[in-house]
Amino acid sequence: MNRNKILLHTCCAPCLVYVNEKLNEMNVDFDSYFYNPNIHPKKEHERRLLTLRSYTSRFNIPLIEDDEFLQYLWENGFQCKDCYNIRLEKTARYAKNNGYKGFSTTLLVSIYQNHQLIIDIAESVADKYGIEFFYHDFREGYRIGQNKAKEYGLYRQKYCGCINSYNSSKYKDKIKWD
Ligand code: SF4
């Protein structure tokens, strides 16, 4: 049933907007897969998930929630490479175990992420689980996606997700969790 689809790790709704449009244009069918234990605090984690539920429901995108909140990650010197790895490894494993033809990630749309590191880690977990990593440089549409997310009224976060990125955000004083 899933063999003609890819499993798309989805970090948040705003990043999904352009990727969704591009995959549709490329005739690539996908399920959205939410696994982002990096997001801190729990309130922010919930907010991003609720926004994704709302967006996927509006555009009839199947959403798989396979998440957990792992605050301990941030007490152990977690870095971006670990953050990419934990999310992409679980995505690749889930895709393999559930018969998808491949996997990808919305992290590839961001102009702020370490694009090459994401590719390297995705290729490594693809090899490990024997499944295809679907690559496209979605960064071409980063601004388009963000502008549409704004038009749609989606919640757009002001930091990447972890406690370190929150602490270093220039918008830190404007971030409200209540
Ligand atoms: S900055 Fe972003 S990618 Fe890096 S560890 Fe924090 S949440 Fe993960």
Side-chain angles (χ1 to χ4, degrees):
M1 188 169 128
N2 293 323
R3 66 181 184 280
N4 294 320
K5 286 182 176 181
I6 64 166
L7 186 66
L8 180 68
H9 166 259
T10 306
C11 59
C12 61
C15 284
L16 178 56
V17 173
Y18 178 75
V19 177
N20 175 36
E21 291 188 0
K22 190 68 189 178
L23 289 176
N24 286 338
E25 187 187 310
M26 298 165 89
N27 287 317
V28 176
D29 199 7
F30 70 94
D31 289 344
S32 174
Y33 182 72
F34 189 81
Y35 177 67
N36 298 290
N38 53 313
I39 302 168
H40 173 94
K42 198 165 186 4
K43 185 83 187 164
E44 175 73 12
H45 183 272
E46 287 167 0
R47 188 180 284 171
R48 294 188 197 187
L49 177 55
L50 286 175
T51 307
L52 181 61
R53 281 183 191 154
S54 159
Y55 175 78
T56 51
S57 158
R58 179 171 171 183
F59 288 90
N60 295 316
I61 300 167
L63 173 63
I64 297 162
E65 297 176 24
D66 192 20
D67 215 16
E68 54 199 331
F69 179 69
L70 301 176
Q71 187 157 355
Y72 76 87
L73 291 177
W74 312 114
E75 292 155 11
N76 292 292
F78 216 63
Q79 297 177 355
C80 294
K81 66 177 170 45
D82 307 306
C83 186
Y84 297 148
N85 194 70
I86 191 173
R87 292 186 280 169
L88 295 177
E89 171 150 13
K90 185 152 174 169
T91 306
R93 189 166 62 233
Y94 188 99
K96 181 69 179 178
N97 289 343
N98 290 279
Y100 289 84
K101 71 173 179 182
F103 73 97
S104 193
T105 175
T106 56
L107 291 167
L108 293 168
V109 79
S110 174
I111 59 174
Y112 299 108
Q113 300 290 344
N114 185 332
H115 197 82
Q116 189 56 52
L117 185 56
I118 293 166
I119 294 170
D120 292 346
I121 290 174
E123 287 178 343
S124 160
V125 295
D127 279 353
K128 182 172 176 181
Y129 291 99
I131 188 160
E132 180 194 348
F133 164 50
F134 179 90
Y135 175 72
H136 180 80
D137 190 350
F138 295 107
R139 290 177 297 182
E140 65 203 5
Y142 178 75
R143 294 285 173 214
I144 296 169
Q146 292 297 315
N147 288 337
K148 286 199 175 173
K150 195 172 181 180
E151 280 171 30
Y152 296 152
L154 298 179
Y155 166 65
R156 292 175 304 134
Q157 61 270 10
K158 296 181 170 53
Y159 65 105
C160 191
C162 65
I163 188 67
N164 297 336
S165 60
Y166 166 71
N167 284 332
S168 58
S169 170
K170 62 182 177 184
Y171 301 108
K172 188 176 173 186
D173 294 341
K174 296 185 178 159
I175 297 169
K176 292 193 172 55
W177 285 324
D178 297 326

